[in-house]
């Protein structure tokens, strides 16, 4: 019986991995081509640091290795390097091991590891990987939110002459919780909405609160009492069910007129991070928002994609994407949902188009109502509390987080 050979000798870089064209990456690809399994073990015990440029090169190498059918096993990294790798390589399929021996055993299909022990080790690695995915997503979310929340704190300090940033943060958090609005969403509104008139007791005097518009295509939703997150999640899932897809995302228009991802399904962390915020003209969803009409795109040929963006989308298995704008009652686009399918050139049936158009209209009307009603309720609450707490130190404090 012809047994497959395991990986060859480990690749052993030395010093700093500090360039996107570091010789390590060519050595990895060469080792993959020379071996029969495509498995490459890298001994990182002598690597002192990996810079941002080096990490970018490593990610490019991982993508190239994947096209060759290879797998990368990293071993024996110093703790500081291992910590960076764990955070950056989540969801890439790269194995991280404390010793070279363990990496070689995992990479060698004929190592003789007992099946039970192998299954237990695989389950343990998957559990750890899931924990790291959650930890990394939470950290990335906080890093994206922190500057905006800090800006909102600064506005509150200047506008109401509060005692300190802790007081401003506490007021933001209280209004966020009282109205079931994300802290980041409230901070963005505070930054974008014109300030109250000087000395006014009300931020929005004479405002008339209107009832929530119905959501007939989402009969299980409490349209008057649901929070924004629950509605956008259900809109996306209903849209995916309509076209029979398990890959899609929903983005909302932020105050800078960019699309910010709010919900997603079926994508890996690389896709989510890359398309977290999209500017004008960068993707089909941005074109749908700009034109206020649906856009169908062939991923492989549409020139709207950069080469990097195209590779990331194609790696998900998507070949066609339908981006549908959600428009409020005022005619303003408030968001876009994009539905990815694996068939090239797969158009929508007339019935699918009608359902998606109704879903987009109902979701858009509800989101615009939420922005003009619930979010402004939260801003009004913040205004009243900030006027009351001028110069009063707050007992509660904490670091900004979203």
């Amino acid at each position: 019986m012809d047994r497959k050979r395991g990986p060859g000798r480990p690749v052993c870089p030395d010093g700093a991995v500090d360039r996107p064209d570091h010789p390590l990456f060519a050595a990895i690809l060469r080792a993959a081509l020379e071996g029969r399994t495509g498995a490459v073990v890298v001994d990182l015990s002598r690597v002192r640091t990996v810079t941002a440029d080096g990490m970018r090169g490593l990610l490019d190498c991982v993508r190239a290795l994947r096209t060759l059918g290879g797998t990368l096993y990293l071993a024996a990294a110093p703790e500081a390097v291992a910590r960076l790798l764990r955070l950056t390589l989540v969801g890439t399929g790269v194995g991280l091991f404390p010793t070279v021996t363990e990496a070689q055993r995992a990479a060698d299909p004929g190592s003789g590891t007992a099946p039970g022990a192998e299954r237990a080790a695989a389950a343990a690695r998957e559990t750890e990987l899931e924990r790291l995915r959650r930890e990394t997503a939470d950290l990335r979310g906080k890093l994206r939110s922190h500057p905006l929340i800090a800006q909102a704190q600064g506005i509150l300090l200047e506008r109401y002459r509060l005692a300190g940033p802790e007081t401003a943060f506490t007021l933001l958090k209280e209004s966020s919780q009282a109205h079931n609005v994300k802290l980041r969403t409230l901070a963005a509104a505070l930054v974008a909405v014109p300030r109250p008139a000087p000395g006014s007791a009300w931020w929005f005097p004479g405002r008339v609160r209107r009832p929530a518009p119905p959501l007939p295509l989402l009969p299980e939703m409490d349209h008057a009492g649901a929070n924004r997150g629950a509605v956008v999640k259900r809109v996306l899932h209903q849209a995916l069910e309509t076209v029979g897809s398990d890959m899609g995302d929903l983005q909302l228009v932020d105050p800078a007129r960019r699309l910010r991802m709010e919900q997603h399904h079926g994508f890996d962390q690389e896709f989510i991070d890359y398309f977290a915020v999209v500017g004008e003209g960068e993707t089909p969803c941005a074109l749908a928002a700009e034109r206020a009409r649906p856009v169908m795109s062939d991923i492989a040929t549409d020139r709207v994609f950069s080469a990097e963006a195209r590779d990331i989308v194609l790696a998900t298995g998507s070949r066609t994407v339908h981006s549908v704008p959600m428009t409020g009652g005022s005619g303003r686009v408030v968001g876009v949902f994009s539905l990815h399918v694996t068939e090239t050139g797969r158009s929508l049936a007339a019935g699918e188009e009608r359902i998606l158009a109704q879903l987009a209209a109902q979701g858009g009307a509800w989101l615009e109502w939420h922005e003009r009603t619930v979010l402004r309720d939260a801003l009004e609450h913040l205004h009243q509390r900030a006027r009351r707490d001028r110069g009063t130190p707050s007992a509660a404090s904490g670091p900004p987080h979203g």
Side-chain angles (χ1 to χ4, degrees), residues 213-295:
L215 295 166
L217 287 179
L218 307 176
E220 73 284 7
M221 298 296 304
D222 174 12
H223 64 279
N227 65 47
R228 191 179 76 169
V231 170
V232 297
K233 181 176 182 179
R234 193 67 195 93
V235 167
L236 175 60
H237 280 261
Q238 182 63 53
L240 289 171
E241 289 174 10
T242 299
V243 300
S245 172
D246 60 0
M247 293 186 293
D249 60 75
L250 190 151
Q251 299 156 301
L252 297 181
V253 178
D254 72 9
R257 305 304 300 163
R258 299 170 303 181
L259 290 172
R260 184 173 295 272
M261 191 179 297
E262 289 288 324
Q263 285 290 335
H264 51 81
H265 190 272
F267 296 123
D268 60 18
Q269 195 63 49
E270 182 181 26
F271 181 99
I272 296 164
D273 287 343
Y274 190 89
F275 295 106
V277 181
V278 175
E280 291 184 6
E282 294 181 358
T283 57
C285 54
L287 292 179
E290 179 185 340
R291 299 170 182 174
R293 65 174 185 268
V295 170

Side-chain angles (χ1 to χ4, degrees), residues 354-374:
R354 284 195 296 272
I355 293 173
L356 293 179
Q358 293 175 17
L359 186 62
Q362 292 171 21
W366 190 94
L367 287 166
E368 187 173 69
W369 166 83
H370 184 272
E371 178 185 320
R372 293 183 173 183
T373 304
V374 178

Side-chain angles (χ1 to χ4, degrees), residues 12-26:
C12 300
D14 195 359
V17 179
D18 54 1
R19 311 195 318 260
D21 59 347
H22 194 281
L24 167 63
F25 309 134

Side-chain angles (χ1 to χ4, degrees), residues 23-338:
L24 167 63
F25 309 134
I28 289 172
L29 296 177
R30 187 165 56 250
L33 290 169
E34 291 173 353
R36 289 185 59 188
T37 66
V40 181
V41 175
V42 179
D43 179 356
L44 295 173
S45 58
R46 293 185 293 179
V47 171
R48 297 188 306 274
T49 184
V50 180
T51 67
D53 284 340
M55 188 58 71
R56 188 167 68 251
L58 178 59
L59 290 171
D60 288 341
C61 178
V62 169
R63 282 193 284 269
L65 185 61
R66 191 184 300 148
T67 66
L68 299 175
T71 308
L72 187 60
Y73 298 82
L74 304 178
E79 181 53 34
V81 173
R83 191 181 310 118
L84 175 63
L85 293 172
R86 281 196 296 267
L87 288 173
T88 309
L89 296 175
V90 169
T92 62
V94 175
L96 297 170
F97 299 87
T99 68
V100 172
T101 300
E102 290 177 81
Q104 289 177 315
R105 187 180 298 124
D108 186 352
S111 62
T113 304
E118 190 173 286
R119 285 195 296 271
R125 288 196 297 272
E126 185 59 33
T127 299
E128 175 66 6
L129 182 61
E130 181 58 32
R131 183 188 70 79
L132 288 170
R133 284 194 188 104
R134 292 194 301 268
E135 180 181 305
T136 304
D138 183 58
L139 177 61
R140 285 167 172 154
K142 288 179 179 179
L143 288 174
R144 284 194 290 264
S145 298
H146 182 90
L148 181 62
I149 294 171
Q151 185 181 1
Q153 285 178 277
I155 291 173
L156 290 173
L157 284 170
E158 178 274 329
R159 184 177 297 174
Y160 300 101
R161 303 188 183 279
L162 299 176
E166 296 84 3
T167 304
F169 178 72
T170 299
L171 290 171
L172 281 167
K173 186 170 67 172
E174 288 178 352
S175 293
S176 165
Q177 293 172 345
H179 296 275
N180 203 7
V181 172
K182 284 185 178 180
L183 189 60
R184 193 200 174 285
T185 302
L186 180 59
L190 176 66
V191 170
V193 175
R195 64 187 299 154
S200 173
W202 299 95
W203 192 334
F204 307 103
R207 178 171 65 105
V208 177
R209 294 184 83 262
R210 303 191 183 281
L215 295 166
L217 287 179
L218 307 176
E220 73 284 7
M221 298 296 304
D222 174 12
H223 64 279
N227 65 47
R228 191 179 76 169
V231 170
V232 297
K233 181 176 182 179
R234 193 67 195 93
V235 167
L236 175 60
H237 280 261
Q238 182 63 53
L240 289 171
E241 289 174 10
T242 299
V243 300
S245 172
D246 60 0
M247 293 186 293
D249 60 75
L250 190 151
Q251 299 156 301
L252 297 181
V253 178
D254 72 9
R257 305 304 300 163
R258 299 170 303 181
L259 290 172
R260 184 173 295 272
M261 191 179 297
E262 289 288 324
Q263 285 290 335
H264 51 81
H265 190 272
F267 296 123
D268 60 18
Q269 195 63 49
E270 182 181 26
F271 181 99
I272 296 164
D273 287 343
Y274 190 89
F275 295 106
V277 181
V278 175
E280 291 184 6
E282 294 181 358
T283 57
C285 54
L287 292 179
E290 179 185 340
R291 299 170 182 174
R293 65 174 185 268
V295 170
M296 173 182 167
S297 174
D298 183 315
I299 307 299
T301 61
D302 196 332
R303 298 175 68 178
V304 72
F305 289 107
S306 67
E308 184 178 18
R310 189 188 318 280
D311 288 345
I312 290 172
V313 179
L314 289 174
T316 68
S318 172
R319 293 298 177 267
T320 306
V321 59
H322 294 274
S323 297
V324 182
M326 296 184 291
T327 305
S330 67
R332 178 172 60 94
V333 174
V334 296
V336 177
F337 55 76
S338 295

